[in-house]
Amino acid sequence: MGLFSRKNNNESAVATATLPVDPALAALTGDYTIDAAHSSIGFTVRHAMVTNVRGSFGEHEGSLKLNGSDPAASSASIDVKIASIDTGIADRDGHLRSGDFFDAETFPLMTFRSTEAAHLGGEKYRIKGDLTIKDVTKPLAIDLEFNGTATDPYGNERVGFEGSAEILRSDWGLTWNAALETGGVMVSDKVKLNFDISAIKNAA
């Protein structure tokens, strides 16, 4: 089931308009709230050139606006509380919150606002938007897989997505590092972002 469609030119737009709307897809139309208790936003980064450190942000909120009749009109918005970062080691988390990295006291939120979406085939999509960290806003493309829909035991209508993106943290001013005696640096510039999202449809 597709959620987003690509319209590259007038011809494709006309062709799309003449196709019947999938009733199951049209039924998804509406506003959704991300269920933070059943979603995760995390990251993976190379440490000391030899291993990976994984972490997540425990506090976040966001919304989706899905339009099943006109999927290109769909959008997403996510706010992440930087102070909720958790890598499993308190001292490291404190360093990440400090001015060397995120400066969470001055810049408490990381935000993403979508600007467009494209269908890559099957259940795979690419969502583009603006990612803001500290006082820097840069474009970000997230590759997503649509995991489907379900009605949970409490009667909530849910949709699910999982996806990932790679960034260079230096593009957002996160440049702290330390040289290793054996060569290389303590923290890789490349960071993989991971998204596992469950969202609940708002009551009409």
Side-chain angles (χ1 to χ4, degrees):
M1 179 188 300
L3 280 183
F4 305 99
S5 63
R6 179 186 295 160
K7 297 181 180 178
N8 292 325
N9 50 47
N10 290 336
E11 181 179 347
S12 63
V14 171
T16 299
T18 61
L19 294 175
V21 176
D22 183 342
L25 180 60
L28 296 178
T29 297
D31 295 328
Y32 293 74
T33 298
I34 292 176
D35 178 8
H38 295 95
S39 302
S40 65
I41 297 175
F43 61 90
T44 304
V45 61
R46 182 77 67 174
H47 178 262
M49 309 295 290
V50 297
T51 190
N52 289 319
V53 167
R54 293 175 174 81
S56 62
F57 296 92
E59 296 182 41
H60 52 83
E61 61 183 20
S63 61
L64 308 177
K65 183 180 290 292
L66 303 183
N67 188 323
S69 300
D70 181 14
S74 299
S75 62
S77 174
I78 301 175
D79 293 341
V80 177
K81 188 173 180 180
I82 294 295
S84 70
I85 195 167
D86 181 8
T87 66
I89 298 179
D91 287 346
R92 181 165 60 204
D93 295 342
H95 191 198
L96 290 169
R97 296 184 190 106
S98 76
D100 282 345
F101 285 94
F102 288 106
D103 193 0
E105 185 173 346
T106 305
F107 305 100
L109 293 179
M110 172 173 64
T111 66
F112 177 76
R113 302 290 184 265
S114 69
T115 56
E116 61 180 283
H119 186 199
L120 303 182
E123 303 300 340
K124 298 185 182 299
Y125 304 85
R126 180 167 293 142
I127 307 301
K128 295 182 179 180
D130 295 321
L131 176 67
T132 300
I133 303 175
K134 300 174 79 169
D135 57 349
V136 179
T137 299
K138 297 273 188 180
L140 177 70
I142 305 173
D143 287 334
L144 288 169
E145 183 168 353
F146 176 50
N147 288 339
T149 66
T151 300
D152 67 24
Y154 304 99
N156 298 311
E157 296 180 54
R158 292 179 177 267
V159 294
F161 304 86
E162 59 183 309
S164 64
E166 285 191 352
I167 65 171
L168 298 179
R169 60 188 179 90
S170 59
D171 287 345
W172 281 266
L174 303 175
T175 57
W176 183 92
N177 228 321
L180 301 175
E181 291 184 4
T182 53
V185 292
M186 181 70 73
V187 185
S188 171
D189 191 22
K190 182 185 294 185
V191 180
K192 182 177 181 181
L193 304 177
N194 304 296
F195 304 87
D196 198 343
I197 302 297
S198 178
I200 297 173
K201 191 173 187 179
N202 298 344

